Amino acid sequence: MEERLKELAGLLSAALPAAVTGSEIRHRELSIRVGRAALPEVLRFLRDDPKCRFTILCDICGVDFPDRPLRFEVVYNLLSIRLNQRIRIKVETDENEPVPSATGLYSSAGWWEREAWDLYGIYFSDNPDLRRILTDYGFEGHPLRKDFPLTGYVELRYDERQKRVVYEPVRLQQEFRSFDFLSPWEGMDKVLPGDEKTGEGEGAPPAGGAAGGAG
């Protein structure tokens, strides 16, 4: 398997020397890095070349590295039934630089690109319908960014006076900020609720009981 992956990596490097900037084999899978502008050319080659035939786009994922100048990685996972192989294509970008859309090559790409846009804010140029797909229409921000607060920026509730759903800034109650890290067993009192009514010391048998029973 690894020899076949090395042959595929060599084929791509020879056919697309300016587009493929790096490759590696990990966990018996081939990953390649390509320039953002060269992405359509690489995807078209992988789909149409007789030695590749990666005709199925399994998914498109986003990865966030806030400390990098190009903080986002867009990962394309392709499958070739003919070769019985998978390949992973990685493209780097940021909040401002758009990634060329793959919808012209793979019809399923539209849904995956909408998800990456919704959750990460990665923009895809030439996508015909780049709208939010998982969050609400009026949602602000992108939930899977590592700089996005876990509580969100706004909360919604039904206002009985206005008879409609309203959006308000998140207000955290003080109780929400207090955490008890003890497990229920560590924090539990030795005397269980109700046992104090017996008036007997710790380790004594319950009231009405007997240490030794008689028939």
Side-chain angles (χ1 to χ4, degrees):
M1 175 64 74
E2 188 165 343
E3 288 300 322
R4 293 171 58 193
L5 294 177
K6 290 181 179 179
E7 291 178 5
L8 178 59
L11 171 65
L12 295 175
S13 298
L16 304 165
V20 178
T21 60
S23 65
E24 62 176 349
I25 299 175
R26 298 185 62 184
H27 307 294
R28 300 173 64 183
E29 292 185 355
L30 174 63
S31 298
I32 64 172
R33 293 186 175 274
V34 304
R36 189 169 50 244
L39 177 65
E41 178 187 6
V42 174
L43 292 177
R44 183 176 292 105
F45 181 86
L46 288 170
R47 186 193 66 177
D48 298 340
D49 187 87
K51 296 181 180 179
C52 299
R53 298 298 292 165
F54 286 90
T55 57
I56 299 177
L57 173 64
C58 298
D59 63 7
I60 300 174
C61 308
V63 188
D64 186 11
F65 300 94
D67 296 332
R68 295 184 184 179
L70 298 176
R71 64 181 292 181
F72 297 119
E73 273 190 2
V74 186
V75 183
Y76 299 77
N77 293 296
L78 303 181
L79 170 65
S80 172
I81 296 180
R82 179 174 181 177
L83 299 179
N84 191 25
Q85 286 183 336
R86 296 177 184 271
I87 189 171
R88 184 175 294 114
I89 301 99
K90 298 180 179 181
V91 179
E92 292 184 341
T93 189
D94 58 19
E95 301 97 324
N96 302 316
E97 296 296 330
V99 178
S101 176
T103 52
L105 298 169
Y106 296 96
S107 58
S108 61
W111 293 93
W112 304 119
E113 291 175 358
R114 285 179 62 182
E115 184 176 17
W117 158 249
D118 189 2
L119 301 182
Y120 286 100
I122 302 171
Y123 187 79
F124 295 87
S125 60
D126 301 322
N127 184 298
D129 189 23
L130 196 62
R131 295 177 296 144
R132 292 192 181 271
I133 192 172
L134 295 176
T135 56
D136 194 16
Y137 295 110
F139 192 86
E140 296 182 6
H142 304 281
L144 290 189
R145 285 192 180 187
K146 292 178 180 175
D147 55 7
F148 188 84
L150 296 179
T151 56
Y153 293 110
V154 296
E155 58 186 354
L156 60 89
R157 66 178 179 85
Y158 181 77
D159 189 285
E160 184 64 33
R161 183 177 59 84
Q162 301 181 51
K163 302 298 182 183
R164 66 180 182 89
V165 173
V166 296
Y167 288 84
E168 298 174 335
V170 172
R171 296 190 299 271
L172 298 180
Q173 301 299 327
Q174 188 61 34
E175 290 78 6
F176 183 81
R177 302 172 186 266
S178 301
F179 299 94
D180 181 7
F181 294 102
L182 287 176
S183 73
W185 304 111
E186 294 173 338
M188 184 177 65
D189 294 332
K190 294 183 178 180
V191 179
L192 296 177
D195 285 356
E196 69 279 359
K197 297 179 182 179
T198 64
E200 301 191 18
E202 181 179 348

